[in-house]
Amino acid sequence: MRWHPLALAFTRGQARLLKRFARSVVISYDADMAGQNATMKALDVLISEGLPAKVVVLSKGLDPDDYVKENGRDAFLELVSKAIEPTEFKIDRIKAGYDLMVQKQLVDYVVEACKVIAQLESPVERDVYVKRLEVESGFERQTIRDQIEKGGVVDDKGSINKNRLGNFRNNRTNELAQHELLSCMLKSEECASLARQALSVNDFSDERVVEIVKVIWYASKDNISIHRISDAIENEKTAAYLAELSIGSDDQQSLNDLIESTKECCSRIKKSSIENKVMELKEVLSDEALINKQKKKCLKRLIP
């Protein structure tokens, strides 16, 4: 049975009617933006009515009629046999809207995809897409599962401050860890003290962070404020970075949340620092062009 909704929005009434004659549905709208949006809406309607559905993915610029005219009936039926699940279609659509090479966009993609996966009732289905996100993003599987358990939500007004660390956990990069740690140190002398005990200046890879950290760690307790630290910063790029960092510095967080974030950031930064030193050591030791005296000098620098 074929159903042609044409330009009309697909309705619940139509879904119920289809359910009387079919056990499942294959959707094939135009490949343009309007067609893809219509597919998303139709999927939601069908799912809400308990009618299983799949999606035929067409090449960009083609609608089903054009495809059949250009490639024939059998070619189209072959596409139908390869129709994809609604969740896969939705995640593919979300992915197309982000540049995964940009760290923030990668995080946003995973968060949005988790919202879709959270709607799945089957643990097996969830696991399929968790594995996909793990491969695409590099995030730990448990981190993705934790995000799904939240329903994908990270930015509702009631929990944005409490869950600030959640954004970091979903994006466990050394750069963001340094950024988050600076934010904590600017808000709490106790956090600054904890960081100073756990790390050394050499553990930070960003020169801007190093400059700010030095000012914070070696300032008196009364001097830990963005305004006073800004006065001590001479490098323009570092000053601009500090100004950017200060945008969210007034967010209210409990001391316990700040301390938890500080400890986790310190752990990540230290781990990354050690990993980098190990890599450098391997390079030094494997470099046959360096004589033993030069190697000892390099090793002394890496292992003070």
Side-chain angles (χ1 to χ4, degrees):
M1 175 182 178
R2 290 178 294 175
W3 184 278
H4 302 280
L6 299 177
L8 299 175
F10 188 73
T11 66
R12 291 182 180 274
Q14 291 171 334
R16 294 190 190 107
L17 182 60
L18 276 174
K19 196 174 181 180
R20 292 169 54 186
F21 300 99
R23 289 179 294 181
S24 63
V25 174
V26 176
I27 300 174
S28 179
Y29 279 94
D30 296 359
D32 59 15
M33 183 65 70
Q36 298 302 292
N37 290 338
T39 300
M40 293 283 280
K41 293 177 181 178
L43 283 174
D44 289 338
V45 171
L46 289 166
I47 291 172
S48 69
E49 292 299 325
L51 187 58
K54 290 187 177 182
V55 181
V56 171
V57 179
L58 297 174
S59 303
K60 289 184 177 180
L62 292 179
D63 60 31
D65 184 57
D66 291 333
Y67 189 90
V68 173
K69 288 179 180 177
E70 290 186 15
N71 301 283
R73 173 178 178 274
D74 291 340
F76 183 74
L77 291 178
E78 178 68 19
L79 284 182
V80 171
S81 70
K82 297 177 181 178
I84 64 175
E85 297 293 332
T87 302
E88 184 176 357
F89 174 78
K90 289 181 178 182
I91 292 177
D92 286 345
R93 282 269 295 154
I94 293 169
K95 183 179 179 181
Y98 292 101
D99 181 354
L100 303 193
M101 298 303 293
V102 177
Q103 202 66 37
K104 185 181 183 306
Q105 293 196 42
L106 174 63
V107 175
D108 291 341
Y109 160 60
V110 173
V111 170
E112 290 302 312
C114 283
K115 292 178 182 179
V116 174
I117 300 171
Q119 297 172 15
L120 296 173
E121 295 182 1
S122 168
V124 176
E125 284 188 89
R126 283 190 176 197
D127 196 51
V128 169
Y129 295 106
V130 167
K131 289 177 181 177
R132 167 179 169 167
L133 290 185
E134 181 186 24
V135 172
E136 290 178 338
S137 68
F139 298 154
E140 294 178 4
R141 191 173 303 182
Q142 188 56 51
T143 299
I144 297 171
R145 285 175 176 156
D146 289 344
Q147 188 63 43
I148 292 170
E149 288 304 314
K150 297 178 185 177
V153 176
V154 296
D155 58 355
D156 58 285
K157 293 182 179 179
S159 62
I160 187 169
N161 294 325
K162 183 177 180 181
N163 291 328
R164 174 180 289 276
L165 182 56
N167 291 326
F168 162 66
R169 285 175 176 154
N170 288 331
N171 187 14
R172 304 174 70 86
T173 65
N174 188 39
E175 179 183 350
L176 280 186
Q178 293 179 61
H179 183 93
E180 180 71 15
L181 181 59
L182 272 181
S183 179
C184 292
M185 286 194 289
L186 288 169
K187 295 173 184 175
S188 166
E189 165 62 24
E190 187 170 345
C191 291
S193 179
L194 284 173
R196 187 175 180 183
Q197 293 173 31
L199 303 170
S200 72
V201 172
N202 293 329
D203 288 322
F204 297 95
S205 58
D206 190 318
E207 293 182 359
R208 300 169 305 173
V209 175
V210 170
E211 187 175 358
I212 297 171
V213 166
K214 284 180 177 179
V215 175
I216 295 175
W217 282 359
Y218 301 110
S220 67
K221 292 184 179 181
D222 294 335
N223 284 336
I224 297 185
S225 72
I226 291 178
H227 298 297
R228 293 184 177 180
I229 291 172
S230 297
D231 293 338
I233 299 297
E234 297 180 356
N235 186 289
E236 291 184 4
K237 290 184 178 180
T238 303
Y241 174 69
L242 180 62
E244 180 184 345
L245 184 70
S246 68
I247 293 175
S249 64
D250 292 331
D251 292 346
Q252 296 299 313
Q253 289 176 268
S254 71
L255 181 59
N256 286 339
D257 285 342
L258 288 171
I259 290 174
E260 179 187 358
S261 183
T262 295
K263 289 179 179 178
E264 191 159 345
C265 289
C266 285
S267 176
R268 174 59 187 168
I269 294 167
K270 176 59 75 173
K271 180 181 178 182
S272 180
S273 176
I274 292 172
E275 289 173 349
N276 289 336
K277 285 185 178 181
V278 169
M279 289 179 62
E280 288 186 59
L281 283 171
K282 288 181 179 179
E283 290 178 5
V284 169
L285 294 174
S286 63
D287 191 343
E288 297 180 358
L290 291 176
I291 60 175
N292 288 335
K293 186 175 181 180
Q294 290 174 314
K295 287 185 178 181
K296 287 180 179 178
K297 185 176 181 180
C298 291
L299 291 174
K300 187 175 181 181
R301 176 179 61 83
L302 292 171
I303 310 176

